[in-house]
């Protein structure tokens, strides 16, 4: 699934966008942005490269990773400090499981909301 398909996965009708968020301890342990960040870390092998690819600061990406790692029983991302041997980051097996289940849950929620979203879409004022 490319980025355009992924973006459409949560969209039901014009102006309707279903987003699933997992809350833990008052924080969003997983949501659409964190899932995209995990994907980017998996592709790039680096938190900083993933942040650049998503147009966010390294600090913001690092904070999001910390929230994800605190929200689950095991870390979703493991990182190594840079230096002479280089650094890097890896999405753990638990991270891959969380991402897979989250994406499936998002797709199921979007599918379930479809008929209602279509009806609501018809009631919205026309967009610009």
């Amino acid at each position: 699934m490319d980025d355009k398909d992924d973006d459409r996965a949560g969209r039901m009708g014009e102006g309707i966008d279903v987003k699933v968020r997992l809350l833990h301890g008052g924080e969003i342990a997983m949501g659409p942005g964190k899932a995209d960040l995990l994907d980017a870390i998996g592709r790039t092998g680096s938190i900083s490269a993933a942040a650049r690819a998503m147009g966010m600061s390294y600090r913001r990406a690092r904070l999001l990773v910390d929230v994800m790692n605190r929200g689950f029983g095991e870390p979703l991302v493991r990182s190594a400090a840079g230096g002479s041997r280089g650094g890097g980051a890896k999405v753990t097996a638990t991270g891959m499981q969380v991402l897979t289940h989250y994406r499936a849950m998002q797709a199921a929620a979007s599918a379930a909301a479809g008929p209602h979203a279509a009806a609501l879409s018809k009631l919205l004022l026309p967009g610009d």
Side-chain angles (χ1 to χ4, degrees):
M1 183 185 308
D2 66 21
D3 288 341
K4 291 178 186 169
D5 289 339
D6 186 49
D7 188 46
R8 286 190 298 263
R11 296 187 187 282
M12 304 298 97
E14 189 65 33
I16 306 292
D17 187 10
V18 175
K19 293 182 181 182
V20 174
R21 290 185 173 95
L22 302 177
L23 302 177
H24 180 266
E27 295 182 305
I28 300 170
M30 180 58 61
K34 289 184 175 95
D36 291 345
L37 180 59
L38 273 183
D39 274 337
I41 291 168
R43 281 192 314 274
T44 65
S46 162
I47 295 171
S48 61
R52 279 192 302 277
M54 294 181 68
M56 75 172 67
S57 70
Y58 171 79
R59 183 178 185 282
R60 176 76 178 139
R62 184 77 239 180
L63 290 171
L64 293 174
V65 167
D66 289 345
V67 170
M68 286 188 282
N69 282 347
R70 284 195 309 269
F72 292 91
E74 296 180 18
L76 305 191
V77 175
R78 292 202 190 275
S79 57
S84 61
R85 287 186 271 152
K90 181 179 188 312
V91 177
T92 65
T94 300
M96 291 305 298
Q97 285 181 315
V98 167
L99 187 57
T100 298
H101 288 298
Y102 175 80
R103 294 288 194 211
M105 186 169 59
Q106 176 70 54
S110 294
H116 303 290
L120 285 170
S121 186
K122 292 177 185 174
L123 298 171
L124 289 171
L125 288 173
D128 291 336

